Amino acid sequence: ADANPPHAFEVGAAIYRRMLEGADQCVVITGESGAGKTETFKKLIQYLSWRAPSLDAPLTAGAADGDAAGSPPTFERLLLQTVPVLESFGNAGTALNHNSSRYGKFVSLYYTRTGLLAGVVLKNYL
């Protein structure tokens, strides 16, 4: 294993740059139970949402769903809010992680040619 693996923001920067150059990109986040896969996913989404604002950022779902300032939610916030809900289904305890997923997540982010986030599809699989 690499002693100094790249940070999720570094990976995000590289894939976003290559995507703008016209190459489709894929990131696979793997690891043992408790290795930080969910946290890495959150950091990657955080970076990509910062780097590539969405077409309708902020979304118009209503101020009640927004942050403390009352702004409407963004794609990033809505996507990250789904993680705890998804984590609550099919989890089991292990020696390293009391809340270990029994399934995988597949997230597709769709961008415009100019690099704006246009849509998100999130799927679970066993």
Side-chain angles (χ1 to χ4, degrees), residues 10-117:
E10 181 181 350
V11 172
I15 63 173
Y16 186 75
R17 182 175 52 255
R18 290 184 194 122
M19 180 199 65
L20 288 178
E21 293 169 354
D24 289 340
Q25 298 297 298
C26 176
V27 176
V28 178
I29 301 172
T30 65
E32 296 179 9
S33 178
K37 296 177 294 295
T38 298
E39 292 305 313
T40 299
F41 168 76
K42 289 178 186 178
K43 291 295 181 191
L44 186 58
I45 293 301
Q46 179 185 8
Y47 176 82
L48 291 173
S49 296
W50 169 80
R51 184 67 184 95
S54 66
L55 285 173
D56 34 341
L59 295 174
T60 57
D65 295 331
D67 61 18
S71 65
T74 61
F75 265 128
E76 172 193 9
R77 193 171 315 126
L78 289 173
L79 183 58
L80 293 179
Q81 287 174 347
T82 66
V83 172
V85 174
L86 294 173
E87 292 290 327
S88 68
F89 296 103
N91 287 359
T94 69
L96 297 175
N97 186 354
H98 73 282
N99 195 29
S100 180
S101 297
R102 301 289 111 199
Y103 61 89
K105 292 181 278 298
F106 184 84
V107 181
S108 295
L109 303 176
Y110 296 93
Y111 292 88
T112 65
R113 290 184 178 166
T114 59
L116 294 176
L117 182 60

